[in-house]
Amino acid sequence: MDIQILQNFLKVARTLHFTKASEDASIAQPALSRQIQQLEDTLGAQLFKRNKRKVELTEAGLFFKTEVERILQQWNDACTRTEQIHKGVAGEIRIGYTHSAMQAFLPDMIRQINQVFPNMRTRMFELTNLQQVKALENKELEIGFTTNPVIEGSIKSKVLLHDNFVVVVPIGHPVSQENYNDFSVFAEEGFILPPKDESSLYVATIESICLDAGFIPKIVHETSFASTGIRLVEAGIGITIEPKSGLRGQPHGVKYIELKNIPQKADLTMLWHKDLEKQKPQLLNLLLKA
């Protein structure tokens, strides 16, 4: 029993006419009759009632017809999905991201993936810079979105957005965008920053902003997640620095001062393993052009 025999059975079952079915199957009628007879012998069941005037399905034949239709649909779906996965337009895509990327542009990118590749399932993981790079190297992720990452090995990258940094302070803080003049005004503040071993270049960039203003930042708390840092600012624990685009929908208890006139920028960056260029080229091109 094989797929072709099942397909030929359906042709007979649907037409209830061996001659028409044999023509449709491009097979001689005697050969088709032998196939059906062998199928019935294999199943141990009569599928058709035959006489000189007509052909009818037996009760067993009606059941088998329904099941074969289901089986062949599954077979066709499996063949189609296998081809789509091979071409990189179906399957699963695992994406790492940081808070800033999710707030800035990632939801629109996911929407585009869903529209262009409806058979592609996305899985999202909020990870630090270091975690994303390691996961990409180990092929546990296909794509990462992060800010000022350290890029190495087989990882490739593209900066999607050069963003200004902003200082996030409690709503009642005396410094505001209107009276801000120089970053040195924050020299005595406690800073909430990511752990340096998880986001080394990002933290080094923030430290360089402080050093350019003549001081070394006093770190009062470390957290890998921007949302946690912002909540701690709201609670009066300290201040933090984030990309401007990452602060959409921030709590009402904070405000921010945009750092417009400094050379340091938040580079929101897309990362991918070089193998993705062969495995899912259409998906990669879509994201790079977004």
Side-chain angles (χ1 to χ4, degrees):
M1 190 185 303
D2 58 28
I3 293 296
Q4 188 61 58
I5 291 175
L6 294 179
Q7 290 172 336
N8 289 347
F9 161 77
L10 275 186
K11 288 179 171 62
V12 179
R14 288 168 176 168
T15 62
L16 296 178
H17 198 290
F18 274 81
T19 300
K20 291 180 180 178
S22 65
E23 292 173 353
D24 188 27
S26 299
I27 185 175
Q29 183 175 330
L32 177 60
S33 296
R34 284 195 299 272
Q35 281 188 358
I36 298 301
Q37 183 62 59
Q38 291 169 354
L39 180 59
E40 290 177 323
D41 292 344
T42 300
L43 295 171
Q46 184 181 356
L47 300 175
F48 296 98
K49 298 176 182 176
R50 311 170 182 82
N51 57 47
K52 294 182 179 180
R53 291 181 297 173
K54 62 180 180 178
V55 176
E56 293 180 319
L57 282 164
T58 64
E59 184 177 354
L62 284 169
F63 170 80
F64 192 63
K65 174 179 178 287
T66 300
E67 292 301 301
V68 168
E69 288 173 335
R70 180 181 59 81
I71 290 167
L72 291 181
Q73 184 60 57
Q74 290 178 333
W75 167 259
N76 291 333
D77 291 346
C79 292
T80 299
R81 182 57 64 90
T82 300
E83 182 183 16
Q84 289 173 339
I85 291 173
H86 174 71
K87 292 180 177 179
V89 297
E92 179 179 275
I93 183 75
R94 295 161 297 181
I95 299 174
Y97 67 93
T98 57
H99 175 86
S100 299
M102 179 59 75
Q103 297 298 104
F105 53 75
L106 194 50
D108 286 339
M109 281 192 162
I110 300 303
R111 177 179 53 79
Q112 288 187 56
I113 292 173
N114 291 340
Q115 288 176 346
V116 178
F117 303 107
N119 296 312
M120 184 79 71
R121 183 166 69 102
T122 53
R123 295 181 63 192
M124 309 293 295
F125 304 90
E126 185 171 4
L127 301 170
T128 66
N129 288 8
L130 181 61
Q131 288 172 333
Q132 287 192 43
V133 170
K134 287 185 175 180
L136 287 163
E137 288 179 337
N138 295 332
K139 299 185 179 180
E140 296 167 355
L141 293 178
E142 280 78 37
I143 297 174
F145 294 96
T146 186
T147 307
N148 296 58
V150 176
I151 303 164
E152 55 189 30
S154 56
I155 307 306
K156 304 188 74 172
S157 67
K158 180 183 178 181
V159 175
L160 301 180
L161 176 64
H162 294 286
D163 201 8
N164 285 336
F165 281 107
V166 299
V167 185
V168 186
V169 299
I171 194 70
H173 196 282
V175 180
S176 65
Q177 192 73 59
E178 290 71 26
N179 63 25
Y180 170 78
N181 291 311
D182 185 82
F183 195 75
S184 61
V185 71
F186 299 113
E188 300 303 318
E189 299 280 358
F191 281 77
I192 301 165
L193 298 178
K196 185 176 288 188
D197 59 351
E198 293 184 357
S199 302
S200 58
L201 181 58
Y202 182 83
V203 175
T205 302
I206 293 175
E207 288 178 338
S208 73
I209 296 173
C210 298
L211 290 171
D212 286 352
F215 69 93
I216 297 173
K218 179 178 67 175
I219 300 173
V220 296
H221 190 85
E222 291 185 337
T223 176
S224 301
F225 301 102
S227 57
T228 300
I230 293 169
R231 287 295 184 183
L232 292 175
V233 172
E234 186 181 26
I237 305 299
I239 66 173
T240 191
I241 298 180
E242 288 292 331
K244 179 182 177 181
S245 59
L247 293 178
R248 297 176 182 174
Q250 71 269 23
H252 295 300
V254 301
K255 61 182 178 179
Y256 62 80
I257 296 101
E258 185 174 356
L259 306 178
K260 301 178 182 179
N261 300 316
I262 61 172
Q264 295 89 345
K265 299 297 176 184
D267 291 335
L268 276 68
T269 306
M270 176 176 158
L271 308 175
W272 67 93
H273 194 284
K274 65 179 183 179
D275 290 352
L276 190 69
E277 296 171 357
K278 294 181 179 179
Q279 295 168 349
K280 293 181 172 67
Q282 296 180 55
L283 173 67
L284 184 59
N285 289 337
L286 172 71
L287 297 181
L288 291 175
K289 292 176 181 178

